[in-house]
Amino acid sequence: MDTFYISHGSPTLSIDDSLPARHFLESWERAGLAGPQPPRAILIVSGHWETDTPAVNVIRGTNDTIYDFYGFPEQMYKLTYPAPGAPDVAIRTKKLLEDAGFGPVSEDHGRGLDHGAWVPLMLMYPEANIPVCQLSVQTDRDGTYHYDLGKALAPLRDDGVLIVGSGSATHNLRRILRTFAPTSDEPVPEWVAEFDAWLRESLLNGRHDDVKRYEERAPFAKLHVALGAAGPEAKAELIHRSWSNATLSYASYRFTTKQEDTLTTLVCD
């Protein structure tokens, strides 16, 4: 299976029908972006679950919906995404990572899905009938670490597991322009536009080493970006691009690998 990076941007993506990114995700199954058949399970890597060492949520039952945002419309706190857990995928993820030297990997038996997981998934797979598990990120580790971590997970693709990295291609809450609407004429600030363009060109041209070392090579980069493993023959495709609040890029990518032993996952926040 191909792997994907999805920009979920603001949590209001869950209710705001004016956002082009919402319509893109709602068309996910119709467009067959992940293939003609639904995945057996989903492993999602969200930028909103940060731990010192890798952790997986092992849920034998239904995932809880975590409302890890504050001050938003009340209706958002009534949304749920009761997808079943995927404990078998979680345990295999743990074993793959520990075998590759990323241990210890902890098991969390109580944590549900944060908004970086359930907001895009409720639009992509609204029936919530596909088992889902989540993997944390380590924000004190660099892009190369996460690149290699993703590479260790490549065998999951052979089992029909869809691997999704979720975050936002650009994300700076201190400088966000909350009055910006998708149809307004508010210009995208230079620092946002340049980083978004740099990320696009780096991925589409296969400059994965640049993305792994984004803090050294990218313009205006003060974001958490981790590029999961992509073989040298992997092809990146920009599958959606839009903006909200002037500073939130909804750029989303598909990574098609030409080698069976490679995987690409991108996590940004």
Side-chain angles (χ1 to χ4, degrees), residues 32 38 60 67 79-80 83 85 89 110 122-123 126 139 157 164 175 187 206-207 214-215 237 239 243 251 261:
R60 304 182 189 279
Y67 306 101
L79 297 172
T80 62
V89 176
M122 70 175 287
L123 303 173
T139 51
R157 295 169 56 237
V164 177
R175 301 184 66 177
R207 301 201 310 268
Y214 79 99
E215 289 183 315
E237 177 187 357
I239 56 177
W243 299 87
D261 61 345

Side-chain angles (χ1 to χ4, degrees), residues 53-264:
T53 59
V56 290
N57 73 329
V58 184
I59 303 300
R60 304 182 189 279
T62 301
N63 278 296
D64 290 333
T65 304
I66 301 174
Y67 306 101
D68 52 336
F69 45 78
Y70 309 94
F72 286 87
E74 183 64 27
Q75 67 189 101
M76 293 173 56
Y77 300 94
K78 298 178 181 179
L79 297 172
T80 62
Y81 190 73
D88 59 324
V89 176
I91 295 301
R92 185 156 189 235
T93 297
K94 174 180 178 176
K95 186 177 188 307
L96 288 170
L97 292 179
E98 291 185 336
D99 288 349
F102 288 94
V105 177
S106 62
E107 300 179 17
D108 191 321
H109 294 266
R111 191 182 196 279
L113 302 176
D114 61 51
H115 81 271
W118 67 262
V119 167
L121 289 179
M122 70 175 287
L123 303 173
M124 296 162 65
Y125 299 103
E127 294 183 1
N129 58 0
I130 300 174
V132 180
C133 66
Q134 193 167 337
L135 172 66
S136 67
V137 295
Q138 289 69 65
T139 51
D140 61 339
R141 305 300 296 266
D142 63 12
T144 299
Y145 166 91
H146 287 90
Y147 184 98
D148 293 337
L149 183 147
K151 188 175 182 179
L153 301 177
L156 293 174
R157 295 169 56 237
D158 296 330
D159 291 339
V161 177
L162 174 64
I163 300 175
V164 177
S166 173
S168 189
T170 60
H171 191 284
N172 189 324
L173 294 180
R174 290 184 298 274
R175 301 184 66 177
I176 194 170
L177 302 180
R178 296 189 180 276
T179 59
F180 180 81
T183 57
S184 80
D185 295 325
E186 183 72 35
V188 175
E190 178 186 13
W191 63 271
V192 181
E194 289 197 19
F195 179 80
D196 188 68
W198 174 88
L199 181 63
R200 180 180 68 250
E201 294 303 316
S202 296
L203 288 173
L204 298 187
N205 291 301
R207 301 201 310 268
H208 301 151
D209 190 58
D210 283 357
V211 180
K212 287 188 290 183
R213 301 173 63 184
Y214 79 99
E215 289 183 315
E216 302 171 20
R217 301 183 179 183
F220 302 102
K222 295 296 181 183
L223 313 174
H224 173 73
V225 179
L227 176 63
E233 300 299 318
K235 178 182 178 182
E237 177 187 357
L238 180 65
I239 56 177
H240 178 76
R241 186 167 185 255
S242 62
W243 299 87
S244 73
N245 303 88
T247 59
L248 284 179
S249 168
Y250 285 88
S252 297
Y253 295 87
R254 169 166 50 196
F255 301 98
T256 303
T257 57
K258 296 182 180 180
Q259 300 177 10
E260 292 184 355
D261 61 345
T262 58
L263 163 72
T264 303

Side-chain angles (χ1 to χ4, degrees), residues 23 26-33:
H23 299 291
E26 288 177 329
S27 72
W28 184 271
E29 288 190 279
R30 295 194 306 273
L33 286 170

